[in-house]
Amino acid sequence: MANNNQHFGPSSTFISLFLMLLLHIHYVRSDLKLYYYSESCPRAEEIIKEQVTMLYHKHGNTAVSWIRNLFHDCMVKSCDASILLDTTKEQKSEKTSQRNFGMRNFKYVETIKEALENECPNTVSCADIVVLSARDGIVMLGGPHIEMKTGRMDSKDSYLAEVENFIPNHNDSMSLVLSRFNSVGVDTQGTVALLGAHTVGRVHCVNIVHRLYPTVDPTLDPKFANYLKTRCPSPQPDPKAIEYARFDHVTPMVWDNLYYKNIMSNKGLLIVDQQLVSDQSTYPFVEKFAANNSYFNDQFAKALIILSENNPLTGDQGEIRKVCRDVNK
């Protein structure tokens, strides 16, 4: 009588496990999708847009804060709203990292979250608020509308110890900056495009004065350096004082490609800005973006989508926080 029992060797077992892994990867990726809340909270994206618009008209700088939130959250392990967590007895907040110096307006994230909770309790994650508020903030500043997938969960942990391993510093070498972005899937052109977010916002004098004192950085345009000295008159500025310079002092709150034209004229605020011009691998993209605003917007959108989809927490990997600054009790 024939034996109908099947015997699987090591190779068959490996193939079976590999197929299961592929199915798992596909499942995780498919958890992020456009209009994730279309059934569970149909007005979710509309509510976020309404709140971003309302806050922009009251506090224009919130639009820039939303963009920065996405960068500083999604670069560290995952787009999981870990940047929003306050310090507790159990863990210290990522907000305390020097890499996150100057970040603000976190309280207004709670304004958006409260509006969503009133409509759809325990449904929309803070991680998705980070991503969608950045998208809508870019539009408020005159930038492109970018379709962003949703469905992220919120982290239960803060990753302060990891921040410096993921977020490049403003005076790091360009090779290190490119390496950090490449680690999350953003190529050289995408990195140059993402740094174009420096077309809006400002920098505290703490991060500028080393280019002005005791001697002026020779890569700075002399007239621009003199202007910066009027903004930052002391070589030792008070970190708590409101002392700053705008990335783009011509159209400081308008989303455009003037940033690239400025750095080509040696008017970059940060060392990382100026390095985009001096580095042979990045300069060709600076030229392209300076010459074509639409091309810049297209490449920025592509790179931002990649960054926003970096290793998201989905399913039971996280939670939906009731308030964005604290994990659920």
Side-chain angles (χ1 to χ4, degrees):
M1 185 174 182
N3 187 346
N4 291 327
N5 292 332
Q6 293 179 332
H7 297 280
F8 296 97
S11 60
S12 298
T13 303
F14 173 78
I15 291 171
S16 297
L17 289 172
F18 182 68
L19 289 173
M20 289 174 65
L21 179 61
L22 286 179
L23 287 172
H24 174 70
I25 291 172
H26 175 75
Y27 172 74
V28 170
R29 286 181 175 172
S30 67
D31 278 352
L32 280 190
K33 61 183 182 181
L34 294 175
Y35 313 114
Y36 178 86
Y37 301 105
S38 60
E39 294 183 7
S40 59
C41 189
R43 292 193 65 249
E45 296 196 23
E46 183 181 349
I47 289 171
I48 293 174
K49 182 178 179 180
E50 289 171 355
Q51 293 298 310
V52 166
T53 302
M54 180 271 292
L55 289 164
Y56 173 77
H57 289 302
K58 287 185 177 179
H59 315 281
N61 56 32
T62 53
V64 180
S65 295
W66 308 146
I67 301 169
R68 196 175 182 197
N69 282 352
L70 187 152
F71 276 84
H72 287 247
D73 186 49
C74 296
M75 283 295 292
V76 180
K77 283 187 166 296
S78 168
C79 285
D80 57 11
S82 60
I83 184 68
L84 303 180
L85 291 172
D86 284 345
T87 295
T88 64
K89 293 180 180 179
E90 291 76 26
Q91 58 188 2
K92 203 169 182 181
S93 174
E94 292 174 26
K95 299 172 190 175
T96 63
S97 170
Q98 190 61 29
R99 296 291 165 88
N100 294 327
F101 172 73
M103 295 188 69
R104 54 192 177 141
N105 291 321
F106 292 113
K107 63 183 178 182
Y108 297 125
V109 176
E110 301 296 350
T111 302
I112 300 173
K113 178 63 170 172
E114 184 178 351
L116 288 164
E117 287 296 302
N118 288 339
E119 178 88 7
C120 310
N122 305 317
T123 303
V124 181
S125 70
C126 298
D128 281 338
I129 293 174
V130 167
V131 169
L132 295 179
S133 62
R135 176 189 72 179
D136 295 336
I138 290 167
V139 172
M140 294 307 300
L141 294 165
H145 175 81
I146 306 169
E147 292 290 351
M148 311 288 273
K149 292 181 180 179
T150 44
R152 300 164 188 79
M153 301 295 284
D154 298 325
S155 170
K156 299 178 184 179
D157 299 303
S158 183
Y159 304 109
L160 175 62
E162 303 287 342
V163 171
E164 293 191 7
N165 295 328
F166 289 93
I167 299 178
N169 202 8
H170 60 87
N171 55 5
D172 281 339
S173 67
M174 184 50 61
S175 62
L176 179 57
V177 172
L178 292 173
S179 174
R180 293 284 170 83
F181 278 97
N182 186 250
S183 71
V184 297
V186 178
D187 63 12
T188 298
Q189 178 168 228
T191 300
V192 179
L194 289 178
L195 286 173
H198 287 177
T199 192
V200 292
R202 65 190 192 182
V203 178
H204 196 284
C205 290
V206 165
N207 292 329
I208 301 173
V209 291
H210 63 287
R211 301 191 70 197
L212 302 174
Y213 307 102
T215 57
V216 173
D217 183 334
T219 64
L220 270 176
D221 174 81
K223 290 183 178 180
F224 185 62
N226 288 335
Y227 162 75
L228 291 179
K229 284 185 175 182
T230 67
R231 301 295 306 172
C232 306
S234 170
Q236 295 180 315
D238 180 358
K240 296 181 180 179
I242 303 175
E243 298 180 359
Y244 63 87
R246 298 283 187 182
F247 276 112
D248 174 4
H249 67 284
V250 179
T251 57
M253 293 294 287
V254 176
W255 188 273
D256 55 27
N257 64 341
L258 196 55
Y259 164 77
Y260 298 104
K261 298 176 182 180
N262 287 337
I263 61 177
M264 289 177 69
S265 300
N266 296 318
K267 295 177 182 179
L269 278 191
L270 302 175
I271 288 177
V272 69
D273 298 321
Q274 205 55 52
Q275 283 188 119
L276 289 178
V277 174
S278 60
D279 190 282
Q280 292 183 351
S281 67
T282 55
Y283 183 63
F285 301 117
V286 172
E287 285 188 306
K288 286 183 178 180
F289 297 153
N292 191 326
N293 189 58
S294 295
Y295 185 69
F296 157 55
N297 283 333
D298 289 344
Q299 296 308 310
F300 179 88
K302 290 178 182 178
L304 193 71
I305 289 171
I306 293 172
L307 179 59
S308 73
E309 295 177 8
N310 173 35
N311 193 32
L313 301 181
T314 56
D316 59 0
Q317 295 175 318
E319 64 180 9
I320 303 293
R321 291 184 210 144
K322 295 179 180 178
V323 293
C324 292
R325 64 182 177 274
D326 292 314
V327 297
N328 294 338
K329 308 301 182 185

